[in-house]
Amino acid sequence: MDIFLPALVTIFVVVDPLGTAAVFSALLSGQDVSTARKTAFRASITAAGLLVAFGLMGDALLHHLGISIGAFRIAGGLLLFVTAFRMLMGFHDPDQLESEETAYSDRTDVAIFPLSIPLLAGPGAMTASILHMTAVHTIEGKVLVIIAIVAVQLIALFSMLGADRLVRLFGPSGSSLLARIMGVLMAAMAVQFMIDGAAQTFNF
């Protein structure tokens, strides 16, 4: 649980399945149920594959580029903090989600963009995946991180499949409040990432 739970919580907060479900509902409004279901499955599977691949290969990529894990933790923390700030300031509120619908309305394959990237597997989620994957050094630990990634994408999948119900259940105020609570949690995690990275970089 020391490996699985932190990875699950971090990736869940970053991905924000409920926010993604609201975007999904807006993007797929007017589509038949079969098309919406296929889109949800494609988006979740693609995002899970991207996060797992980036988590497994990210360490080797960083080594090849000459970037230390400590430096990546600091950069990742800053990136997560920016995402948290956006959530706290209301960039994921319903009116913003409607503007995202307009921005992406001319895209034919919404399962890839914007659902998979950047919503379900954006820079923040990729950062969280590689940070948690590089923090463990056993096969069992990496498998637990992969399970956490898949679990979050399954939650996102079911959220998208029940998007209309979730939006009606929480309403605009509830969705806004939930986004801000997640933003606070994400900000705290981002600061912890930066503290850990500084400690590893400067050996204190």
Side-chain angles (χ1 to χ4, degrees):
M1 295 303 291
D2 292 339
I3 296 174
F4 174 77
L5 192 57
L8 179 70
V9 172
T10 303
I11 297 172
F12 178 86
V13 170
V14 175
V15 171
D16 184 16
L18 297 182
T20 301
V23 177
F24 177 85
S25 178
L27 290 173
L28 274 296
S29 61
Q31 298 290 333
D32 59 87
V33 176
S34 177
T35 299
R37 186 172 301 171
K38 290 179 181 178
T39 301
F41 273 96
R42 284 193 62 202
S44 298
I45 292 172
T46 302
L50 286 173
L51 293 183
V52 171
F54 194 78
L56 291 174
M57 298 186 296
D59 191 18
L61 178 63
L62 292 179
H63 179 74
H64 178 73
L65 296 176
I67 302 173
S68 68
I69 295 299
F72 192 82
R73 285 182 180 275
I74 295 174
L78 289 171
L79 180 61
L80 291 179
F81 191 85
V82 170
T83 305
F85 180 80
R86 288 177 58 84
M87 295 179 72
L88 286 169
M89 293 299 103
F91 285 91
H92 290 172
D93 282 354
D95 58 337
Q96 291 291 330
L97 297 179
E98 290 175 4
S99 66
E100 289 187 31
E101 175 194 5
T102 303
Y104 302 133
S105 60
D106 60 338
R107 307 288 181 172
T108 55
D109 195 355
V110 296
I112 304 301
F113 180 84
L115 290 178
S116 292
I117 302 174
L119 295 178
L120 295 178
M126 290 181 180
T127 299
S129 297
I130 191 173
L131 290 180
H132 283 287
M133 196 71 76
T134 54
V136 295
H137 305 285
T138 63
I139 296 178
E140 291 81 2
K142 293 184 184 298
V143 169
L144 287 174
V145 176
I146 292 174
I147 293 174
I149 292 172
V150 173
V152 171
Q153 294 301 329
L154 285 175
I155 294 172
L157 171 61
F158 288 119
S159 297
M160 287 187 290
L161 292 178
D164 292 337
R165 296 177 183 175
L166 287 174
V167 171
R168 288 197 300 268
L169 175 64
F170 287 98
S173 298
S175 299
S176 177
L177 176 62
L178 187 61
R180 281 164 173 78
I181 293 174
M182 289 186 172
V184 172
L185 293 174
M186 189 188 301
M189 293 175 183
V191 172
Q192 188 62 56
F193 278 149
M194 288 186 278
I195 292 173
D196 293 342
Q200 188 171 0
T201 301
F202 300 107
N203 297 317
F204 63 81

